[in-house]
Amino acid sequence: MARLFTLIAIVLLATGAHATTKAFRTSATRVLSDTSNFGGCMVHLTKTPLEEGLDCNGPWVSFSCSGDFAPRDAAVRNFEIAQIAVLTELTILVVVDDTKKHNGYCFASRIDLLRQ
C-alpha cells in the first residue's frame, strides 16, 4: 500500500499538481467588478491558469480587491492595469497563485503590461 501512495505522489508531482504560483503570458478580454463575490474584481484571460498547470476554475482570476489576499490599493491598481490591457489589447504577464481562491477562482498577485 505504501508503494501505491508513493507512486501516486510521484505522478502528481510529475503532472504539475504541486504548482502554487506561476507567471505566464496571456491577454485580457474582460474585467468584472462585483462588491460581494470573486474578491471584488476579476479579469478574464485568453490562456487559462489550468492550461498552465494551476488548479483554478476557468479563465478568470481575482485580484482580491476585497483585501483578503492583497492590500486593497495594490489590488485596485492591478485591476486598473487589467482594464488598460483589455482596452489596448496588449499582452500581459500575470502571476497566479492557486493556493488562494475566491469562489474557486485563483488569485493573481501581479499583472504587467508587455510590449508586443
Side-chain angles (χ1 to χ4, degrees):
M1 192 62 131
R3 287 184 182 175
L4 176 62
F5 288 121
T6 302
L7 179 61
I8 291 170
I10 290 170
V11 169
L12 289 175
L13 289 173
T15 60
H18 66 286
T20 55
T21 303
K22 185 164 187 181
F24 58 94
R25 289 174 180 244
T26 185
S27 297
T29 59
R30 296 185 315 197
V31 290
L32 173 103
S33 177
D34 188 310
T35 58
S36 60
N37 295 301
F38 314 115
C41 60
M42 300 179 77
V43 64
H44 183 273
L45 307 173
T46 56
K47 185 185 292 183
T48 69
L50 186 61
E51 291 174 288
E52 292 294 319
L54 295 166
D55 180 27
C56 303
N57 282 350
W60 291 90
V61 294
S62 172
F63 293 113
S64 195
C65 289
S66 59
D68 293 317
F69 302 132
R72 288 182 183 174
D73 60 328
V76 169
R77 279 193 304 274
N78 284 342
F79 184 61
E80 290 168 350
I81 292 169
Q83 292 171 322
I84 292 168
V86 170
L87 291 173
T88 61
E89 299 181 353
L90 288 173
T91 300
I92 58 172
L93 178 72
V94 65
V95 178
V96 179
D97 183 340
D98 70 359
T99 64
K100 298 175 182 174
K101 298 179 183 174
H102 285 289
N103 305 97
Y105 295 95
C106 290
F107 167 63
S109 61
R110 179 175 176 161
I111 180 172
D112 298 330
L113 288 174
L114 303 174
R115 283 195 168 166
Q116 305 298 30

